[in-house]
Amino acid sequence: MQESLDITPEAVNQAAEAMIAAKPAYRDLIAFYGRIFAAQEDARQRIRLEPVVIPEDLLAIRRREQLPLLPVSEMAYDPAAAGVLLGKICRIAVDSGTGLSNSARILSLKSAGMDPLFRDFLNEDESGMTRAAAGIGVDPQALAFFLYHSLRPALRCCARQLSGFLTGAPVWEQGYCPICGSPPGLSWLEGDGQRSLFCSFCWHKWPLRRALCPFCGNRDQERLLFLYSDEEPEYRVDACASCRKYIKTVDARVLARRSYPPLEQIASLHLDIKAAEQGFSAGIPVSPPF
Ligand SMILES: [Zn+2]
Ligand SMILES: [Zn+2]
Protein backbone atom coordinates (compact mmCIF):
# COMPACT_ATOMS: atom_id res chain seq x y z
CA MET A 1 0.00 0.00 0.00
CA GLN A 2 1.33 3.43 -0.97
CA GLU A 3 2.20 5.62 1.98
CA SER A 4 2.18 9.37 2.06
CA LEU A 5 3.31 11.74 4.74
CA ASP A 6 1.20 14.57 3.36
CA ILE A 7 -2.29 13.42 4.17
CA THR A 8 -5.31 15.09 5.74
CA PRO A 9 -5.93 15.03 9.50
CA GLU A 10 -8.91 12.75 8.78
CA ALA A 11 -6.66 10.31 6.94
CA VAL A 12 -4.26 10.27 9.92
CA ASN A 13 -7.22 9.42 12.15
CA GLN A 14 -8.25 6.62 9.77
CA ALA A 15 -4.70 5.22 9.77
CA ALA A 16 -4.68 5.36 13.58
CA GLU A 17 -8.02 3.52 13.77
CA ALA A 18 -6.80 0.83 11.36
CA MET A 19 -3.65 0.40 13.42
CA ILE A 20 -5.58 0.13 16.69
CA ALA A 21 -7.78 -2.58 15.15
CA ALA A 22 -4.65 -4.48 14.06
CA LYS A 23 -2.62 -3.83 17.22
CA PRO A 24 -4.98 -3.31 20.18
CA ALA A 25 -2.13 -3.53 22.71
CA TYR A 26 -0.95 -0.14 21.41
CA ARG A 27 -4.37 1.50 21.64
CA ASP A 28 -3.41 4.33 24.04
CA LEU A 29 -0.06 5.05 22.39
CA ILE A 30 -1.55 5.13 18.87
CA ALA A 31 -4.51 7.26 19.99
CA PHE A 32 -2.18 9.78 21.65
CA TYR A 33 0.24 10.11 18.74
CA GLY A 34 -2.58 9.91 16.21
CA ARG A 35 -4.09 13.06 17.69
CA ILE A 36 -0.71 14.83 17.65
CA PHE A 37 0.02 13.83 14.04
CA ALA A 38 -3.48 14.89 12.95
CA ALA A 39 -2.91 18.30 14.59
CA GLN A 40 0.40 18.55 12.75
CA GLU A 41 -1.18 17.75 9.38
CA ASP A 42 -3.81 20.38 10.09
CA ALA A 43 -1.12 22.95 11.01
CA ARG A 44 0.96 22.10 7.94
CA GLN A 45 -1.68 23.54 5.63
CA ARG A 46 -1.23 27.03 7.14
CA ILE A 47 2.53 27.20 7.49
CA ARG A 48 4.28 29.97 5.62
CA LEU A 49 8.06 29.75 5.22
CA GLU A 50 10.57 31.96 3.47
CA PRO A 51 12.46 29.70 1.02
CA VAL A 52 15.96 28.80 2.20
CA VAL A 53 18.62 29.99 -0.23
CA ILE A 54 21.86 28.04 -0.63
CA PRO A 55 24.58 29.84 -2.63
CA GLU A 56 25.71 27.95 -5.75
CA ASP A 57 29.32 27.54 -4.62
CA LEU A 58 28.29 26.11 -1.24
CA LEU A 59 25.77 23.82 -2.93
CA ALA A 60 28.46 22.50 -5.28
CA ILE A 61 30.77 21.67 -2.35
CA ARG A 62 28.04 19.94 -0.38
CA ARG A 63 27.00 17.85 -3.38
CA ARG A 64 30.57 16.88 -4.21
CA GLU A 65 31.48 15.94 -0.62
CA GLN A 66 28.13 14.13 0.03
CA LEU A 67 27.38 16.55 2.84
CA PRO A 68 23.81 17.33 3.92
CA LEU A 69 22.32 20.50 2.45
CA LEU A 70 21.72 22.36 5.69
CA PRO A 71 22.52 22.01 9.40
CA VAL A 72 19.43 21.54 11.55
CA SER A 73 20.14 24.91 13.18
CA GLU A 74 19.51 26.69 9.86
CA MET A 75 16.20 25.05 9.02
CA ALA A 76 13.30 27.47 8.59
CA TYR A 77 10.18 27.47 10.73
CA ASP A 78 7.12 29.60 11.29
CA PRO A 79 7.25 30.84 14.93
CA ALA A 80 3.59 31.86 15.05
CA ALA A 81 2.36 28.52 13.66
CA ALA A 82 4.70 26.60 15.99
CA GLY A 83 3.34 28.52 18.98
CA VAL A 84 -0.28 27.75 18.05
CA LEU A 85 0.53 24.08 17.48
CA LEU A 86 2.35 23.91 20.82
CA GLY A 87 -0.84 25.01 22.55
CA LYS A 88 -2.84 22.29 20.75
CA ILE A 89 -0.31 19.56 21.52
CA CYS A 90 -0.23 20.61 25.18
CA ARG A 91 -4.03 20.24 25.32
CA ILE A 92 -3.79 16.76 23.78
CA ALA A 93 -1.15 15.79 26.34
CA VAL A 94 -3.15 17.20 29.27
CA ASP A 95 -6.17 15.15 28.10
CA SER A 96 -4.05 12.03 27.71
CA GLY A 97 -3.40 11.69 31.43
CA THR A 98 0.10 10.38 30.66
CA GLY A 99 3.46 11.24 32.21
CA LEU A 100 3.54 14.25 29.90
CA SER A 101 0.34 15.78 31.27
CA ASN A 102 1.97 17.73 34.08
CA SER A 103 4.63 19.32 31.85
CA ALA A 104 1.92 20.08 29.28
CA ARG A 105 -0.20 21.84 31.90
CA ILE A 106 2.72 24.04 32.94
CA LEU A 107 3.77 24.79 29.36
CA SER A 108 0.26 25.67 28.26
CA LEU A 109 0.22 28.49 30.81
CA LYS A 110 3.32 29.96 29.20
CA SER A 111 1.67 31.55 26.20
CA ALA A 112 4.46 33.95 25.20
CA GLY A 113 8.23 33.88 24.92
CA MET A 114 8.58 30.43 23.37
CA ASP A 115 10.43 31.58 20.26
CA PRO A 116 13.93 31.55 21.85
CA LEU A 117 13.22 28.00 23.00
CA PHE A 118 12.39 26.85 19.47
CA ARG A 119 15.68 28.38 18.39
CA ASP A 120 17.63 26.75 21.26
CA PHE A 121 16.09 23.42 20.31
CA LEU A 122 17.17 23.73 16.67
CA ASN A 123 20.62 24.89 17.77
CA GLU A 124 20.84 21.72 19.86
CA ASP A 125 21.79 23.99 22.76
CA GLU A 126 21.48 21.41 25.53
CA SER A 127 22.60 23.65 28.38
CA GLY A 128 20.18 26.38 27.22
CA MET A 129 17.38 23.83 27.05
CA THR A 130 18.17 22.41 30.49
CA ARG A 131 18.23 25.90 32.01
CA ALA A 132 14.96 26.79 30.30
CA ALA A 133 13.29 23.58 31.46
CA ALA A 134 14.40 24.20 35.05
CA GLY A 135 13.17 27.81 34.82
CA ILE A 136 9.75 26.73 33.58
CA GLY A 137 9.60 23.77 35.94
CA VAL A 138 9.28 20.99 33.35
CA ASP A 139 11.29 17.90 32.53
CA PRO A 140 13.94 18.69 29.83
CA GLN A 141 13.04 15.60 27.81
CA ALA A 142 9.36 16.56 27.88
CA LEU A 143 10.24 20.12 26.81
CA ALA A 144 12.23 18.77 23.84
CA PHE A 145 9.28 16.53 22.94
CA PHE A 146 6.83 19.45 22.85
CA LEU A 147 9.19 21.75 20.96
CA TYR A 148 10.03 19.12 18.34
CA HIS A 149 6.44 18.14 17.69
CA SER A 150 5.41 21.80 17.40
CA LEU A 151 8.15 22.37 14.82
CA ARG A 152 7.76 19.13 12.91
CA PRO A 153 5.29 20.28 10.20
CA ALA A 154 7.53 23.25 9.40
CA LEU A 155 10.63 21.04 9.32
CA ARG A 156 8.90 18.82 6.78
CA CYS A 157 7.86 21.83 4.67
CA CYS A 158 11.41 23.17 4.83
CA ALA A 159 12.84 19.76 3.88
CA ARG A 160 10.49 19.58 0.90
CA GLN A 161 11.64 22.96 -0.38
CA LEU A 162 15.28 21.98 0.13
CA SER A 163 14.79 18.67 -1.68
CA GLY A 164 14.56 20.73 -4.88
CA PHE A 165 18.32 21.31 -4.52
CA LEU A 166 18.89 17.55 -4.75
CA THR A 167 17.55 17.37 -8.32
CA GLY A 168 20.39 16.33 -10.59
CA ALA A 169 22.77 15.74 -7.67
CA PRO A 170 25.01 12.63 -7.62
CA VAL A 171 23.34 9.50 -6.20
CA TRP A 172 23.22 9.77 -2.42
CA GLU A 173 24.70 6.64 -0.90
CA GLN A 174 24.90 7.75 2.71
CA GLY A 175 22.93 6.50 5.68
CA TYR A 176 22.31 10.02 6.98
CA CYS A 177 19.69 12.42 5.67
CA PRO A 178 20.77 14.34 2.54
CA ILE A 179 18.77 17.33 3.75
CA CYS A 180 19.65 17.76 7.44
CA GLY A 181 22.23 15.06 8.21
CA SER A 182 20.18 13.29 10.90
CA PRO A 183 20.11 9.49 11.14
CA PRO A 184 17.18 7.56 9.65
CA GLY A 185 14.26 6.65 11.90
CA LEU A 186 12.48 4.09 9.73
CA SER A 187 13.21 1.96 6.69
CA TRP A 188 10.49 1.35 4.06
CA LEU A 189 10.22 -1.33 1.37
CA GLU A 190 7.87 -0.83 -1.55
CA GLY A 191 7.39 -1.37 -5.29
CA ASP A 192 9.79 -4.00 -6.53
CA GLY A 193 11.59 -4.15 -3.19
CA GLN A 194 13.22 -0.71 -3.32
CA ARG A 195 14.27 0.48 0.14
CA SER A 196 13.88 4.05 1.29
CA LEU A 197 14.80 5.61 4.60
CA PHE A 198 12.83 8.26 6.47
CA CYS A 199 14.87 10.90 8.32
CA SER A 200 14.23 10.75 12.07
CA PHE A 201 14.18 14.55 12.22
CA CYS A 202 12.83 16.20 9.05
CA TRP A 203 11.15 13.02 7.66
CA HIS A 204 12.68 13.45 4.22
CA LYS A 205 12.57 10.12 2.40
CA TRP A 206 15.53 8.95 0.34
CA PRO A 207 16.31 5.69 -1.49
CA LEU A 208 19.21 3.57 -0.25
CA ARG A 209 20.43 0.16 -1.38
CA ARG A 210 19.22 -2.69 0.80
CA ALA A 211 22.56 -4.30 1.56
CA LEU A 212 23.99 -1.34 3.45
CA CYS A 213 23.97 -0.45 7.13
CA PRO A 214 22.90 3.21 7.32
CA PHE A 215 24.82 3.72 10.56
CA CYS A 216 28.31 2.43 9.75
CA GLY A 217 28.24 1.88 5.98
CA ASN A 218 28.83 -1.88 6.27
CA ARG A 219 28.04 -3.59 2.92
CA ASP A 220 29.07 -7.12 3.87
CA GLN A 221 25.88 -9.17 3.42
CA GLU A 222 27.17 -11.78 5.87
CA ARG A 223 27.17 -9.14 8.59
CA LEU A 224 23.72 -7.70 7.81
CA LEU A 225 20.97 -9.56 9.68
CA PHE A 226 17.17 -9.54 9.61
CA LEU A 227 14.93 -10.24 12.58
CA TYR A 228 11.30 -11.00 11.77
CA SER A 229 8.34 -13.05 12.83
CA ASP A 230 5.77 -14.92 10.73
CA GLU A 231 2.92 -13.23 12.61
CA GLU A 232 3.92 -9.79 11.34
CA PRO A 233 5.16 -10.08 7.75
CA GLU A 234 4.89 -6.30 7.38
CA TYR A 235 7.68 -5.69 9.88
CA ARG A 236 11.28 -6.65 10.25
CA VAL A 237 14.39 -5.35 11.94
CA ASP A 238 17.53 -4.73 9.89
CA ALA A 239 20.51 -5.20 12.19
CA CYS A 240 24.23 -4.84 11.62
CA ALA A 241 26.75 -7.25 13.16
CA SER A 242 29.53 -4.70 12.68
CA CYS A 243 28.21 -1.68 14.60
CA ARG A 244 25.46 -3.59 16.48
CA LYS A 245 22.83 -1.00 15.53
CA TYR A 246 19.44 -1.66 13.97
CA ILE A 247 16.63 0.07 12.13
CA LYS A 248 13.00 -0.99 11.96
CA THR A 249 11.64 -1.74 8.49
CA VAL A 250 8.07 -1.69 7.20
CA ASP A 251 7.39 -3.85 4.15
CA ALA A 252 4.63 -1.77 2.59
CA ARG A 253 4.12 -4.44 -0.10
CA VAL A 254 2.36 -6.69 2.41
CA LEU A 255 0.73 -3.97 4.51
CA ALA A 256 -2.99 -4.30 3.87
CA ARG A 257 -4.19 -1.37 5.98
CA ARG A 258 -3.86 2.39 5.65
CA SER A 259 -0.59 3.52 7.18
CA TYR A 260 1.18 6.64 8.30
CA PRO A 261 4.94 6.01 8.68
CA PRO A 262 5.52 7.99 11.90
CA LEU A 263 2.78 5.92 13.57
CA GLU A 264 4.36 2.67 12.37
CA GLN A 265 7.66 3.82 13.82
CA ILE A 266 6.16 4.50 17.24
CA ALA A 267 3.71 1.62 17.61
CA SER A 268 6.28 -1.12 17.08
CA LEU A 269 8.08 -1.05 20.42
CA HIS A 270 8.04 -4.85 20.54
CA LEU A 271 10.56 -4.79 17.68
CA ASP A 272 12.85 -2.54 19.73
CA ILE A 273 12.59 -4.98 22.62
CA LYS A 274 13.34 -7.92 20.33
CA ALA A 275 16.40 -6.17 18.89
CA ALA A 276 17.65 -5.21 22.37
CA GLU A 277 17.30 -8.84 23.49
CA GLN A 278 19.60 -9.82 20.64
CA GLY A 279 22.17 -7.26 21.78
CA PHE A 280 21.50 -4.52 19.23
CA SER A 281 21.03 -0.85 20.02
CA ALA A 282 18.77 1.59 18.20
CA GLY A 283 20.26 4.05 15.74
CA ILE A 284 17.99 6.73 17.23
CA PRO A 285 16.49 7.12 20.74
CA VAL A 286 13.76 4.50 21.14
CA SER A 287 11.28 5.31 23.83
CA PRO A 288 8.88 8.10 23.13
CA PRO A 289 8.31 10.04 26.36
CA PHE A 290 4.85 8.83 27.23
ZN1 LIG B 1 16.50 15.12 7.66
ZN1 LIG C 1 26.47 -0.97 10.99
Side-chain angles (χ1 to χ4, degrees):
M1 185 168 277
Q2 191 70 28
E3 110 294 340
S4 173
L5 280 179
D6 292 339
I7 59 178
T8 62
E10 293 75 26
V12 174
N13 292 334
Q14 287 164 9
E17 283 166 20
M19 277 188 90
I20 287 172
K23 294 141 67 106
Y26 285 111
R27 170 180 294 278
D28 291 347
L29 192 66
I30 295 169
F32 175 68
Y33 276 94
R35 287 185 69 193
I36 289 178
F37 293 146
Q40 289 172 339
E41 293 305 331
D42 179 57
R44 180 176 55 80
Q45 299 167 23
R46 287 183 297 280
I47 283 172
R48 296 289 171 266
L49 295 180
E50 284 295 314
V52 175
V53 177
I54 303 178
E56 276 299 327
D57 51 345
L58 198 54
L59 187 61
I61 293 169
R62 288 178 178 168
R63 282 178 164 194
R64 194 174 61 235
E65 305 293 330
Q66 295 262 290
L67 294 171
L69 288 174
L70 205 68
V72 162
S73 58
E74 291 177 27
M75 291 192 82
Y77 69 100
D78 177 337
V84 171
L85 183 55
L86 176 66
K88 287 186 181 170
I89 293 175
C90 283
R91 280 195 291 281
I92 292 168
V94 169
D95 289 350
S96 71
T98 64
L100 289 167
S101 299
N102 199 37
S103 294
R105 204 169 285 114
I106 295 167
L107 270 179
S108 61
L109 297 173
K110 190 174 163 56
S111 54
M114 292 302 287
D115 196 28
L117 287 182
F118 288 126
R119 190 41 68 196
D120 280 352
F121 176 78
L122 290 178
N123 285 335
E124 299 173 271
D125 178 355
E126 272 191 39
S127 59
M129 290 279 294
T130 306
R131 267 198 315 277
I136 302 168
V138 296
D139 172 66
Q141 218 196 339
L143 179 61
F145 171 89
F146 286 109
L147 294 173
Y148 172 65
H149 280 286
S150 306
L151 288 169
R152 187 170 164 272
L155 298 173
R156 273 179 44 214
C157 291
C158 181
R160 185 177 310 103
Q161 184 246 316
L162 288 166
S163 67
F165 289 113
L166 298 175
T167 308
V171 176
W172 185 260
E173 292 214 308
Q174 308 299 331
Y176 47 87
C177 173
I179 301 282
C180 75
S182 299
L186 187 68
S187 169
W188 201 265
L189 298 178
E190 60 197 335
D192 57 359
Q194 167 67 48
R195 173 166 83 155
S196 296
L197 302 179
F198 283 105
C199 174
S200 60
F201 192 78
C202 75
W203 283 86
H204 174 71
K205 182 184 176 191
W206 75 99
L208 193 72
R209 66 172 68 202
R210 285 171 72 159
L212 174 65
C213 169
F215 304 110
C216 74
N218 170 28
R219 294 177 185 221
D220 179 356
Q221 301 225 17
E222 307 253 305
R223 299 185 65 74
L224 294 167
L225 316 169
F226 307 108
L227 314 178
Y228 54 86
S229 77
D230 292 339
E231 291 92 71
E232 287 187 312
E234 72 272 32
Y235 287 144
R236 71 175 209 209
V237 172
D238 290 25
C240 173
S242 289
C243 68
R244 306 299 297 175
K245 288 189 176 170
Y246 72 88
I247 186 164
K248 293 187 281 191
T249 295
V250 175
D251 189 344
R253 298 168 299 173
V254 295
L255 195 61
R257 56 180 163 76
R258 187 187 274 273
S259 69
Y260 183 67
L263 273 179
E264 304 290 343
Q265 199 246 335
I266 281 166
S268 49
L269 291 171
H270 56 293
L271 300 180
D272 297 294
I273 293 166
K274 190 172 183 171
E277 282 170 357
Q278 307 267 334
F280 296 103
S281 60
I284 58 162
V286 174
S287 305
F290 182 69

